[in-house]
Amino acid sequence: MSYDLAIIGGTGLYQFPGLENIERTAVDTPFGPTSAPVVSGTFAGRRIAFLARHGEGHSVPPHRVNYRANVWALHHVGARRVIGVNAVGGIRDDMGPRVVAVPDQVIDYTHGRYTSFCDVDGAEVKHIDFSEPYTASLRADVLAATARAGVPVVDGGCYGATQGPRLETRAEIARMRRDGCDLVGMTGMPEAALARELELDYACIALIANWAAGCGDEAEISLPEIFENLRVATAQVPKIVAAMLG
Ligand code: HPA
């Protein structure tokens, strides 16, 4: 079975709005259970697959997501182009709450996660080229779709992947800014690298939920505001996907 696109939904995106003729598949993987079943269906007249990264009831925190199982499962069911939707904090001045961004670089600060399919005894050792962590053609398709859909977007930026589940200190964000990070999130890695190992096309749609620690005017980051900002930004995703598939 093949798909025109697969979506991995992050915080705030647990089901794909408008998906029809839904079929749910629990995929057995060599790496254990996925966060949720793969939900297949039609959207804008095309077949897409959807997987909720944190589980459909948001029960899996970022550092415990079974990234290998999720990515392997999507590949196994026949997906070849994958968009990861990720809630993030904004660091760069033009990356404020509710902004949608399509990053083009990554710095990985996570630890203790399974970062490769080669972690299994006897597996072929692969050193993937990851100079460009996102697939250029898929990024270009996402960006062209945002233009057609009239969704404002920031093209490019460096995604700093932190371990979570806690938010960062101001000093950590100041360091990340010095490192060149424009966005901070907890789930961008190792997902992107695992997708590359399986030769999937992969791009990220980053939804900015809040100013990262010390970047906005507020002394503290409020969770209700995060969720409201995310709700607004998440509503843009089906518009972008419809324009991509249309
Ligand atoms: N930091 C890390 N991950 C996030 C943030 C943040 O400020 N906001 C949403 N996801």
Side-chain angles (χ1 to χ4, degrees):
M1 195 66 83
S2 73
Y3 292 92
D4 293 300
L5 195 65
I7 315 280
I8 302 179
T11 301
L13 185 61
Y14 306 109
Q15 279 150 13
F16 200 79
L19 194 60
E20 293 176 331
N21 307 313
I22 285 176
E23 207 180 292
R24 296 161 64 82
T25 313
V27 182
D28 259 340
T29 90
F31 307 97
T34 58
S35 304
V38 175
V39 180
S40 313
T42 47
F43 180 76
R46 307 281 209 102
R47 269 180 64 75
I48 72 168
F50 177 82
L51 200 156
R53 183 186 291 115
H54 298 283
E56 289 170 328
H58 199 123
S59 51
V60 190
H63 63 298
R64 304 203 56 188
V65 169
N66 192 341
Y67 295 95
R68 288 193 303 185
N70 290 351
V71 172
W72 191 92
L74 288 176
H75 182 268
H76 181 71
V77 299
R80 292 297 176 264
R81 309 182 90 203
V82 179
I83 293 181
V85 179
N86 302 80
V88 297
I91 298 174
R92 205 169 77 192
D93 288 355
D94 60 344
M95 301 275 197
R98 303 187 182 188
V99 167
V100 177
V102 181
D104 60 356
Q105 276 299 323
V106 165
I107 298 179
D108 189 3
Y109 301 89
T110 66
H111 50 85
R113 301 183 181 189
Y114 289 108
T115 56
S116 170
F117 292 106
C118 312
D119 284 334
V120 179
D121 282 344
E124 180 201 350
V125 179
K126 271 194 199 164
H127 297 286
I128 51 164
D129 176 14
F130 206 49
S131 334
E132 297 296 333
Y134 302 112
T135 307
S137 56
L138 186 56
R139 279 193 76 251
D141 284 357
V142 173
L143 290 165
T146 59
R148 283 199 299 280
V151 173
V153 71
V154 178
D155 173 0
C158 179
Y159 181 119
T162 55
Q163 177 69 355
R166 65 167 177 83
L167 296 167
E168 299 71 32
T169 65
R170 282 196 275 163
E172 285 167 338
I173 294 295
R175 175 177 77 142
M176 291 177 75
R177 188 195 284 276
R178 289 194 298 274
D179 284 354
C181 295
D182 303 307
L183 300 161
V184 53
M186 302 172 191
T187 51
M189 286 294 284
E191 197 171 274
L194 292 166
R196 179 66 53 83
E197 281 194 355
L198 294 186
E199 298 177 13
L200 293 165
D201 286 351
Y202 182 89
C204 166
I205 297 181
L207 307 176
I208 297 158
N210 55 280
W211 284 115
C215 297
D217 293 335
E218 307 199 358
E220 271 185 36
I221 299 171
S222 121
L223 275 189
E225 256 175 64
I226 287 191
F227 288 116
E228 180 54 16
N229 290 333
L230 263 187
R231 193 186 60 73
V232 173
T234 302
Q236 307 283 30
V237 174
K239 293 191 216 164
I240 300 171
V241 173
M244 268 185 88
L245 298 175

